[in-house]
Amino acid sequence: MRNLERLTVETGRVIQRRYLLQRLVQQGQTCAVYQGFDQVLQRTVAIKAAAVEHIPAYRAAIRATAQFAHPNIIGIYDLIVEPDALYIVQEYVDGDDFGTLLQSQLSPYHVVDLGVQVCQALMYASTPVRKVSHGDLTPSAIIRDRRGLVRINNFALPGDAAYFSAWNVIGATGGPVFSDPDLPAGQMSDSRRADDTRAVGLLLYQLLAGRTPDARMVEPSADGRLRFMRNAPAEVCELVARTVIRQHPQYIATPEALHAELKVLAEALEPPPPPISGQLAPAYQAVEDPMARAPQAQFAPARSGSLLSQPLGSGVRSADGEYAARSDTNGRMMTLDASNASTAFDASMSAKLAAARQAAYAPEVPVKRVNMPLVILFGLVLFALFFGIGYYLSTILIH
Protein backbone atom coordinates (compact mmCIF):
# COMPACT_ATOMS: atom_id res chain seq x y z
CA MET A 1 0.00 0.00 0.00
CA ARG A 2 2.95 2.32 0.61
CA ASN A 3 3.94 2.22 -3.06
CA LEU A 4 0.34 2.96 -4.06
CA GLU A 5 0.17 6.00 -1.78
CA ARG A 6 3.39 7.32 -3.30
CA LEU A 7 1.97 6.99 -6.81
CA THR A 8 -1.05 9.12 -5.96
CA VAL A 9 1.07 12.29 -5.78
CA GLU A 10 2.97 11.83 -9.04
CA THR A 11 0.72 13.82 -11.35
CA GLY A 12 2.75 15.43 -14.10
CA ARG A 13 4.89 12.35 -14.63
CA VAL A 14 5.28 10.99 -18.18
CA ILE A 15 5.28 7.20 -18.41
CA GLN A 16 7.41 5.56 -21.10
CA ARG A 17 7.89 8.99 -22.71
CA ARG A 18 4.30 8.84 -23.88
CA TYR A 19 1.55 8.94 -21.23
CA LEU A 20 1.18 12.06 -19.11
CA LEU A 21 -0.51 11.66 -15.70
CA GLN A 22 -2.76 14.71 -15.49
CA ARG A 23 -4.97 14.27 -12.43
CA LEU A 24 -6.04 11.65 -9.91
CA VAL A 25 -9.58 10.44 -10.61
CA GLN A 26 -10.04 7.67 -8.05
CA GLN A 27 -8.06 6.08 -5.26
CA GLY A 28 -8.98 2.43 -4.83
CA GLN A 29 -7.78 -0.30 -2.52
CA THR A 30 -5.51 -1.91 -5.10
CA CYS A 31 -4.88 0.83 -7.66
CA ALA A 32 -5.00 4.55 -8.34
CA VAL A 33 -6.82 5.77 -11.46
CA TYR A 34 -5.66 8.85 -13.34
CA GLN A 35 -6.86 10.88 -16.24
CA GLY A 36 -3.93 10.91 -18.62
CA PHE A 37 -2.97 12.03 -22.09
CA ASP A 38 -1.44 9.95 -24.86
CA GLN A 39 1.11 12.31 -26.39
CA VAL A 40 1.63 10.09 -29.44
CA LEU A 41 -2.01 9.59 -30.50
CA GLN A 42 -3.14 12.91 -28.97
CA ARG A 43 -6.06 11.52 -27.00
CA THR A 44 -7.26 11.40 -23.41
CA VAL A 45 -6.84 8.06 -21.67
CA ALA A 46 -7.41 6.51 -18.25
CA ILE A 47 -4.33 5.11 -16.51
CA LYS A 48 -4.48 2.62 -13.65
CA ALA A 49 -1.41 2.46 -11.42
CA ALA A 50 -1.21 -0.79 -9.42
CA ALA A 51 1.39 -1.38 -6.71
CA VAL A 52 3.88 -4.23 -6.95
CA GLU A 53 1.95 -6.66 -4.74
CA HIS A 54 -1.08 -6.50 -7.04
CA ILE A 55 0.78 -6.87 -10.34
CA PRO A 56 0.15 -10.67 -10.76
CA ALA A 57 -3.62 -10.27 -10.40
CA TYR A 58 -3.80 -7.38 -12.86
CA ARG A 59 -1.57 -9.07 -15.41
CA ALA A 60 -3.74 -12.20 -15.32
CA ALA A 61 -6.87 -10.07 -15.78
CA ILE A 62 -5.35 -8.25 -18.75
CA ARG A 63 -4.39 -11.55 -20.42
CA ALA A 64 -7.98 -12.78 -20.05
CA THR A 65 -9.66 -9.61 -21.36
CA ALA A 66 -7.19 -7.91 -23.71
CA GLN A 67 -9.20 -8.94 -26.79
CA PHE A 68 -12.55 -7.77 -25.47
CA ALA A 69 -14.39 -5.41 -27.81
CA HIS A 70 -17.90 -4.55 -26.66
CA PRO A 71 -19.72 -1.21 -26.31
CA ASN A 72 -20.52 -1.92 -22.64
CA ILE A 73 -16.93 -2.84 -21.69
CA ILE A 74 -14.11 -0.31 -21.23
CA GLY A 75 -11.32 -1.05 -23.73
CA ILE A 76 -7.65 -1.63 -22.88
CA TYR A 77 -4.96 0.14 -24.91
CA ASP A 78 -1.59 -0.61 -23.35
CA LEU A 79 0.21 -2.32 -20.48
CA ILE A 80 3.42 -0.96 -19.00
CA VAL A 81 5.43 -2.80 -16.36
CA GLU A 82 7.97 -0.85 -14.31
CA PRO A 83 10.03 -2.00 -11.30
CA ASP A 84 7.73 -0.27 -8.80
CA ALA A 85 4.32 -0.42 -10.47
CA LEU A 86 2.10 -1.69 -13.26
CA TYR A 87 0.34 0.85 -15.50
CA ILE A 88 -2.78 -0.11 -17.45
CA VAL A 89 -3.78 2.37 -20.16
CA GLN A 90 -7.48 2.26 -20.88
CA GLU A 91 -10.21 4.02 -22.78
CA TYR A 92 -11.22 7.20 -20.94
CA VAL A 93 -14.96 7.45 -20.27
CA ASP A 94 -16.43 10.85 -19.44
CA GLY A 95 -19.53 10.16 -17.41
CA ASP A 96 -21.13 9.54 -14.03
CA ASP A 97 -19.85 7.06 -11.48
CA PHE A 98 -22.23 4.97 -9.39
CA GLY A 99 -22.36 7.47 -6.55
CA THR A 100 -23.47 10.18 -8.96
CA LEU A 101 -26.15 7.87 -10.36
CA LEU A 102 -27.46 7.33 -6.83
CA GLN A 103 -27.71 11.06 -6.28
CA SER A 104 -29.47 11.60 -9.61
CA GLN A 105 -32.42 9.45 -8.45
CA LEU A 106 -32.80 7.44 -11.67
CA SER A 107 -36.29 6.62 -12.87
CA PRO A 108 -37.36 2.94 -12.77
CA TYR A 109 -36.90 2.73 -16.54
CA HIS A 110 -33.30 3.96 -16.39
CA VAL A 111 -32.50 1.59 -13.51
CA VAL A 112 -33.83 -1.34 -15.54
CA ASP A 113 -31.97 -0.14 -18.64
CA LEU A 114 -28.73 -0.05 -16.64
CA GLY A 115 -29.30 -3.68 -15.69
CA VAL A 116 -29.94 -4.62 -19.32
CA GLN A 117 -26.62 -3.11 -20.38
CA VAL A 118 -24.63 -4.72 -17.56
CA CYS A 119 -26.10 -8.11 -18.48
CA GLN A 120 -25.08 -7.57 -22.11
CA ALA A 121 -21.46 -7.13 -21.02
CA LEU A 122 -21.59 -10.27 -18.85
CA MET A 123 -23.18 -12.29 -21.65
CA TYR A 124 -20.44 -11.20 -24.06
CA ALA A 125 -17.66 -12.16 -21.64
CA SER A 126 -19.17 -15.56 -20.84
CA THR A 127 -19.53 -16.82 -24.41
CA PRO A 128 -17.83 -20.19 -25.14
CA VAL A 129 -15.02 -18.37 -26.95
CA ARG A 130 -14.12 -16.19 -23.92
CA LYS A 131 -15.45 -17.98 -20.80
CA VAL A 132 -14.66 -15.08 -18.47
CA SER A 133 -16.62 -14.13 -15.36
CA HIS A 134 -16.41 -10.67 -13.85
CA GLY A 135 -16.05 -11.58 -10.19
CA ASP A 136 -15.78 -8.00 -8.88
CA LEU A 137 -18.97 -6.32 -10.08
CA THR A 138 -19.12 -3.59 -7.43
CA PRO A 139 -20.25 0.06 -7.78
CA SER A 140 -16.67 1.07 -8.58
CA ALA A 141 -16.81 -1.03 -11.77
CA ILE A 142 -19.76 0.96 -13.21
CA ILE A 143 -19.75 4.24 -15.10
CA ARG A 144 -22.39 5.69 -17.42
CA ASP A 145 -21.21 8.00 -20.19
CA ARG A 146 -22.93 11.19 -21.38
CA ARG A 147 -24.93 9.27 -23.99
CA GLY A 148 -26.40 6.91 -21.41
CA LEU A 149 -24.15 3.99 -22.35
CA VAL A 150 -23.13 1.92 -19.31
CA ARG A 151 -19.47 0.90 -19.28
CA ILE A 152 -18.05 -1.95 -17.19
CA ASN A 153 -14.52 -2.15 -15.81
CA ASN A 154 -12.39 -4.54 -13.71
CA PHE A 155 -13.21 -7.85 -15.38
CA ALA A 156 -11.46 -10.98 -14.06
CA LEU A 157 -10.06 -9.34 -10.91
CA PRO A 158 -10.33 -10.92 -7.43
CA GLY A 159 -13.61 -9.92 -5.81
CA ASP A 160 -13.88 -7.21 -3.16
CA ALA A 161 -14.33 -9.43 -0.09
CA ALA A 162 -15.46 -6.58 2.19
CA TYR A 163 -18.20 -5.44 -0.20
CA PHE A 164 -19.66 -8.86 -0.96
CA SER A 165 -19.37 -10.02 2.67
CA ALA A 166 -21.43 -7.03 3.79
CA TRP A 167 -24.13 -7.73 1.18
CA ASN A 168 -24.16 -11.46 1.91
CA VAL A 169 -26.63 -10.75 4.71
CA ILE A 170 -29.28 -10.02 2.06
CA GLY A 171 -30.97 -13.22 0.99
CA ALA A 172 -27.82 -15.35 1.03
CA THR A 173 -28.85 -17.54 4.01
CA GLY A 174 -25.30 -17.82 5.27
CA GLY A 175 -23.85 -19.15 2.02
CA PRO A 176 -20.29 -18.55 0.85
CA VAL A 177 -19.30 -15.06 -0.23
CA PHE A 178 -17.58 -16.31 -3.41
CA SER A 179 -18.24 -19.47 -5.37
CA ASP A 180 -15.46 -21.79 -6.51
CA PRO A 181 -12.69 -19.99 -4.57
CA ASP A 182 -10.08 -22.46 -5.81
CA LEU A 183 -10.49 -21.37 -9.44
CA PRO A 184 -8.29 -18.53 -10.76
CA ALA A 185 -9.94 -15.11 -10.77
CA GLY A 186 -12.06 -14.60 -13.88
CA GLN A 187 -12.32 -18.28 -14.78
CA MET A 188 -15.94 -19.02 -15.54
CA SER A 189 -18.18 -21.59 -13.89
CA ASP A 190 -21.93 -21.87 -13.46
CA SER A 191 -21.65 -20.80 -9.82
CA ARG A 192 -19.59 -17.76 -10.72
CA ARG A 193 -22.09 -16.76 -13.39
CA ALA A 194 -24.73 -16.91 -10.65
CA ASP A 195 -22.50 -14.70 -8.45
CA ASP A 196 -22.20 -12.13 -11.24
CA THR A 197 -25.96 -12.21 -11.82
CA ARG A 198 -26.62 -11.64 -8.13
CA ALA A 199 -24.12 -8.76 -8.19
CA VAL A 200 -26.24 -7.10 -10.90
CA GLY A 201 -29.28 -7.49 -8.66
CA LEU A 202 -27.42 -5.82 -5.79
CA LEU A 203 -26.53 -2.86 -7.99
CA LEU A 204 -30.14 -2.47 -9.13
CA TYR A 205 -31.38 -2.71 -5.56
CA GLN A 206 -29.04 0.07 -4.42
CA LEU A 207 -30.40 2.33 -7.15
CA LEU A 208 -33.96 1.59 -6.01
CA ALA A 209 -33.35 1.52 -2.25
CA GLY A 210 -34.67 4.11 0.18
CA ARG A 211 -31.97 6.63 1.02
CA THR A 212 -31.35 10.31 1.59
CA PRO A 213 -31.23 12.48 -1.57
CA ASP A 214 -27.51 13.26 -1.14
CA ALA A 215 -26.38 9.67 -0.51
CA ARG A 216 -23.48 8.41 -2.64
CA MET A 217 -23.64 4.85 -1.32
CA VAL A 218 -26.15 2.42 0.17
CA GLU A 219 -25.39 0.10 3.07
CA PRO A 220 -27.14 -3.28 3.49
CA SER A 221 -29.69 -3.33 6.26
CA ALA A 222 -28.67 -5.17 9.40
CA ASP A 223 -31.87 -7.24 9.41
CA GLY A 224 -31.36 -8.47 5.86
CA ARG A 225 -34.40 -6.74 4.40
CA LEU A 226 -34.82 -5.16 1.00
CA ARG A 227 -36.50 -1.76 1.29
CA PHE A 228 -37.42 0.02 -1.90
CA MET A 229 -38.43 3.57 -2.67
CA ARG A 230 -42.14 4.19 -2.85
CA ASN A 231 -42.14 4.82 -6.60
CA ALA A 232 -40.43 1.52 -7.47
CA PRO A 233 -42.81 -0.60 -9.61
CA ALA A 234 -43.87 -3.86 -7.98
CA GLU A 235 -42.62 -5.99 -10.87
CA VAL A 236 -39.16 -4.43 -10.69
CA CYS A 237 -39.00 -5.07 -6.95
CA GLU A 238 -40.00 -8.68 -7.48
CA LEU A 239 -37.36 -9.18 -10.15
CA VAL A 240 -34.63 -7.71 -7.94
CA ALA A 241 -35.70 -9.98 -5.08
CA ARG A 242 -35.54 -13.02 -7.37
CA THR A 243 -32.02 -12.04 -8.39
CA VAL A 244 -30.65 -11.28 -4.91
CA ILE A 245 -32.29 -13.94 -2.72
CA ARG A 246 -30.55 -17.21 -3.52
CA GLN A 247 -33.23 -19.43 -1.99
CA HIS A 248 -36.02 -17.88 -4.04
CA PRO A 249 -38.06 -20.61 -5.81
CA GLN A 250 -37.72 -18.57 -9.02
CA TYR A 251 -34.12 -17.53 -8.41
CA ILE A 252 -32.44 -16.02 -11.47
CA ALA A 253 -28.95 -17.50 -11.82
CA THR A 254 -27.73 -16.47 -15.29
CA PRO A 255 -27.18 -13.13 -17.04
CA GLU A 256 -29.21 -14.41 -20.00
CA ALA A 257 -32.31 -15.07 -17.89
CA LEU A 258 -32.03 -11.75 -16.08
CA HIS A 259 -31.47 -9.91 -19.36
CA ALA A 260 -34.60 -11.43 -20.92
CA GLU A 261 -36.82 -10.33 -18.04
CA LEU A 262 -35.23 -6.90 -17.76
CA LYS A 263 -35.85 -6.33 -21.47
CA VAL A 264 -39.55 -7.00 -20.98
CA LEU A 265 -39.67 -4.49 -18.12
CA ALA A 266 -37.67 -1.92 -20.08
CA GLU A 267 -40.09 -2.11 -23.01
CA ALA A 268 -43.04 -1.62 -20.66
CA LEU A 269 -41.46 1.23 -18.72
CA GLU A 270 -39.80 3.07 -21.60
CA PRO A 271 -41.00 6.68 -21.72
CA PRO A 272 -42.42 8.03 -24.99
CA PRO A 273 -39.93 9.87 -27.24
CA PRO A 274 -39.83 13.65 -26.80
CA PRO A 275 -41.76 15.66 -29.42
CA ILE A 276 -39.78 16.88 -32.40
CA SER A 277 -38.89 20.55 -32.20
CA GLY A 278 -41.58 22.65 -33.89
CA GLN A 279 -44.07 19.80 -33.94
CA LEU A 280 -47.57 20.67 -32.72
CA ALA A 281 -48.87 18.95 -29.61
CA PRO A 282 -51.53 16.30 -30.27
CA ALA A 283 -55.12 17.48 -30.14
CA TYR A 284 -56.14 14.67 -27.77
CA GLN A 285 -55.32 14.40 -24.08
CA ALA A 286 -52.95 11.54 -23.33
CA VAL A 287 -53.77 9.22 -20.46
CA GLU A 288 -51.44 9.98 -17.59
CA ASP A 289 -49.31 7.13 -16.27
CA PRO A 290 -49.82 6.84 -12.50
CA MET A 291 -46.09 6.07 -12.09
CA ALA A 292 -45.22 9.42 -13.62
CA ARG A 293 -47.02 11.17 -10.78
CA ALA A 294 -45.12 9.31 -8.11
CA PRO A 295 -42.40 11.34 -6.37
CA GLN A 296 -38.93 10.26 -7.46
CA ALA A 297 -37.24 10.18 -4.08
CA GLN A 298 -39.89 9.60 -1.45
CA PHE A 299 -39.22 6.77 0.94
CA ALA A 300 -41.15 5.86 4.03
CA PRO A 301 -39.13 4.05 6.72
CA ALA A 302 -40.39 0.64 7.73
CA ARG A 303 -42.93 0.77 10.53
CA SER A 304 -43.12 -1.82 13.22
CA GLY A 305 -46.28 -3.82 12.87
CA SER A 306 -47.64 -7.17 11.95
CA LEU A 307 -45.52 -9.22 9.60
CA LEU A 308 -47.13 -11.24 6.88
CA SER A 309 -45.25 -14.24 5.52
CA GLN A 310 -45.74 -14.80 1.83
CA PRO A 311 -44.08 -17.09 -0.69
CA LEU A 312 -41.15 -15.45 -2.37
CA GLY A 313 -42.29 -13.34 -5.27
CA SER A 314 -45.86 -13.00 -4.05
CA GLY A 315 -45.71 -9.23 -4.45
CA VAL A 316 -47.35 -7.75 -1.36
CA ARG A 317 -47.12 -4.00 -1.10
CA SER A 318 -47.65 -2.03 2.10
CA ALA A 319 -50.04 0.90 2.13
CA ASP A 320 -47.23 3.45 2.25
CA GLY A 321 -45.72 2.05 -0.94
CA GLU A 322 -42.74 0.31 0.65
CA TYR A 323 -41.50 -3.16 -0.21
CA ALA A 324 -39.37 -5.00 2.29
CA ALA A 325 -38.05 -8.51 1.78
CA ARG A 326 -35.84 -11.03 3.50
CA SER A 327 -35.42 -14.77 3.57
CA ASP A 328 -36.37 -16.66 6.71
CA THR A 329 -34.13 -18.97 8.72
CA ASN A 330 -34.96 -21.85 6.38
CA GLY A 331 -34.34 -19.76 3.29
CA ARG A 332 -37.68 -20.76 1.81
CA MET A 333 -39.85 -17.77 2.57
CA MET A 334 -39.63 -14.02 2.27
CA THR A 335 -41.11 -11.86 5.02
CA LEU A 336 -42.74 -8.73 3.71
CA ASP A 337 -43.46 -5.73 5.89
CA ALA A 338 -47.21 -5.55 5.42
CA SER A 339 -48.64 -3.08 7.89
CA ASN A 340 -52.03 -2.16 6.41
CA ALA A 341 -51.05 -4.28 3.42
CA SER A 342 -52.81 -4.25 0.11
CA THR A 343 -52.32 -7.13 -2.30
CA ALA A 344 -53.36 -5.11 -5.34
CA PHE A 345 -50.58 -4.00 -7.65
CA ASP A 346 -50.78 -0.87 -9.70
CA ALA A 347 -53.34 -2.02 -12.28
CA SER A 348 -52.09 -0.02 -15.21
CA MET A 349 -48.46 -1.04 -14.72
CA SER A 350 -49.36 -4.71 -14.30
CA ALA A 351 -51.41 -4.67 -17.49
CA LYS A 352 -48.64 -2.88 -19.34
CA LEU A 353 -46.02 -5.40 -18.24
CA ALA A 354 -48.28 -8.35 -18.95
CA ALA A 355 -48.81 -7.12 -22.49
CA ALA A 356 -45.06 -6.63 -22.92
CA ARG A 357 -44.31 -10.16 -21.69
CA GLN A 358 -46.93 -11.62 -24.02
CA ALA A 359 -45.47 -9.72 -26.94
CA ALA A 360 -41.91 -10.68 -26.04
CA TYR A 361 -42.54 -14.39 -25.60
CA ALA A 362 -45.35 -15.02 -28.11
CA PRO A 363 -44.37 -17.63 -30.70
CA GLU A 364 -43.66 -16.25 -34.11
CA VAL A 365 -46.51 -16.87 -36.56
CA PRO A 366 -45.15 -18.10 -39.89
CA VAL A 367 -46.10 -15.96 -42.85
CA LYS A 368 -47.68 -17.90 -45.72
CA ARG A 369 -46.11 -16.91 -49.00
CA VAL A 370 -48.08 -17.02 -52.28
CA ASN A 371 -46.66 -19.29 -54.97
CA MET A 372 -46.85 -16.90 -57.92
CA PRO A 373 -45.94 -19.38 -60.70
CA LEU A 374 -48.72 -21.68 -59.52
CA VAL A 375 -51.21 -18.79 -59.50
CA ILE A 376 -50.23 -17.83 -63.06
CA LEU A 377 -50.52 -21.40 -64.27
CA PHE A 378 -53.93 -21.74 -62.67
CA GLY A 379 -55.04 -18.51 -64.38
CA LEU A 380 -53.87 -19.74 -67.77
CA VAL A 381 -55.76 -23.01 -67.33
CA LEU A 382 -58.96 -21.15 -66.48
CA PHE A 383 -58.46 -18.85 -69.47
CA ALA A 384 -57.99 -21.81 -71.83
CA LEU A 385 -61.04 -23.54 -70.39
CA PHE A 386 -63.33 -20.54 -70.80
CA PHE A 387 -61.91 -19.82 -74.25
CA GLY A 388 -62.70 -23.38 -75.36
CA ILE A 389 -66.23 -23.22 -73.98
CA GLY A 390 -66.84 -19.88 -75.73
CA TYR A 391 -65.47 -21.16 -79.04
CA TYR A 392 -67.64 -24.30 -78.85
CA LEU A 393 -70.81 -22.27 -78.12
CA SER A 394 -70.10 -19.82 -80.92
CA THR A 395 -69.79 -22.61 -83.53
CA ILE A 396 -73.12 -24.12 -82.43
CA LEU A 397 -74.95 -20.81 -82.66
CA ILE A 398 -73.50 -19.99 -86.09
CA HIS A 399 -74.53 -23.34 -87.60
Side-chain angles (χ1 to χ4, degrees):
M1 183 63 70
R2 182 178 303 171
N3 290 337
L4 188 57
E5 291 175 351
R6 181 175 63 82
L7 287 172
T8 61
V9 297
E10 291 189 352
T11 54
R13 178 182 175 186
V14 178
I15 302 170
Q16 211 177 40
R17 295 181 295 179
R18 177 172 180 175
Y19 302 107
L20 171 65
L21 298 181
Q22 294 178 316
R23 66 180 182 92
L24 179 65
V25 175
Q26 183 182 18
Q27 175 66 72
Q29 295 181 350
T30 61
C31 71
V33 182
Y34 295 88
Q35 178 181 329
F37 187 73
D38 184 344
Q39 297 178 332
V40 174
L41 297 180
Q42 295 291 298
R43 64 181 176 184
T44 302
V45 294
I47 302 174
K48 283 184 179 179
V52 175
E53 59 266 31
H54 302 296
I55 288 179
Y58 276 96
R59 294 189 74 167
I62 297 303
R63 284 196 297 269
T65 62
Q67 301 301 319
F68 279 13
H70 189 273
N72 293 120
I73 299 177
I74 296 177
I76 299 173
Y77 294 150
D78 202 354
L79 180 67
I80 301 166
V81 181
E82 293 191 349
D84 60 343
L86 174 75
Y87 296 96
I88 305 169
V89 183
Q90 293 183 308
E91 176 186 4
Y92 179 79
V93 178
D94 180 23
D96 297 325
D97 61 13
F98 198 80
T100 304
L101 295 178
L102 284 174
Q103 291 182 325
S104 65
Q105 307 280 345
L106 297 180
S107 69
Y109 165 74
H110 287 102
V111 172
V112 171
D113 180 64
L114 183 143
V116 169
Q117 296 190 54
V118 175
C119 286
Q120 289 172 172
L122 295 178
M123 291 161 58
Y124 170 85
S126 64
T127 56
V129 176
R130 302 172 187 89
K131 296 182 179 179
V132 175
S133 65
H134 192 288
D136 193 34
L137 194 54
T138 66
S140 62
I142 304 292
I143 188 169
R144 191 179 71 168
D145 68 19
R146 301 305 178 197
R147 301 170 298 167
L149 192 64
V150 179
R151 314 299 302 279
I152 314 299
N153 205 358
N154 302 339
F155 268 88
L157 287 175
D160 186 338
Y163 170 84
F164 287 106
S165 295
W167 283 100
N168 209 36
V169 69
I170 303 291
T173 64
V177 177
F178 298 113
S179 299
D180 299 329
D182 296 332
L183 293 179
Q187 184 170 326
M188 192 183 70
S189 68
D190 290 342
S191 297
R192 285 189 166 179
R193 279 163 52 85
D195 285 353
D196 282 347
T197 307
R198 182 173 184 270
V200 179
L202 292 174
L203 293 173
L204 299 183
Y205 168 67
Q206 292 172 66
L207 292 170
L208 295 167
R211 59 188 182 275
T212 59
D214 59 344
R216 287 188 58 84
M217 62 180 300
V218 174
E219 297 286 350
S221 58
D223 60 3
R225 294 173 179 243
L226 299 175
R227 292 185 174 88
F228 296 89
M229 287 188 292
R230 183 176 299 164
N231 68 318
E235 290 79 359
V236 179
C237 299
E238 291 291 340
L239 185 57
V240 170
R242 290 171 54 202
T243 308
V244 170
I245 300 175
R246 288 177 176 152
Q247 299 302 320
H248 197 298
Q250 297 175 327
Y251 179 60
I252 299 175
T254 66
E256 290 81 4
L258 180 57
H259 178 265
E261 299 213 26
L262 286 171
K263 284 284 289 181
V264 173
L265 288 171
E267 292 172 4
L269 294 167
E270 185 174 10
I276 301 174
S277 178
Q279 182 177 357
L280 294 178
Y284 58 87
Q285 179 65 41
V287 177
E288 184 178 4
D289 188 342
M291 292 309 303
R293 301 195 303 269
Q296 289 295 310
Q298 282 191 345
F299 170 73
R303 299 195 304 265
S304 59
S306 60
L307 294 177
L308 176 64
S309 294
Q310 295 286 343
L312 286 167
S314 59
V316 176
R317 166 181 276 178
S318 64
D320 60 6
E322 176 195 357
Y323 285 82
R326 67 178 177 184
S327 57
D328 71 352
T329 54
N330 297 321
R332 295 191 301 268
M333 304 290 288
M334 179 173 65
T335 302
L336 300 175
D337 204 353
S339 304
N340 302 321
S342 170
T343 57
F345 288 150
D346 184 284
S348 63
M349 182 57 66
S350 297
K352 193 175 182 182
L353 289 172
R357 289 194 184 97
Q358 185 177 3
Y361 295 108
E364 184 178 355
V365 178
V367 179
K368 295 183 179 180
R369 296 186 178 182
V370 178
N371 192 329
M372 289 305 298
L374 186 60
V375 172
I376 295 173
L377 179 61
F378 184 72
L380 292 175
V381 170
L382 288 177
F383 175 77
L385 179 62
F386 284 111
F387 180 82
I389 293 174
Y391 179 80
Y392 175 75
L393 292 176
S394 64
T395 56
I396 292 177
L397 293 175
I398 292 174
H399 297 287

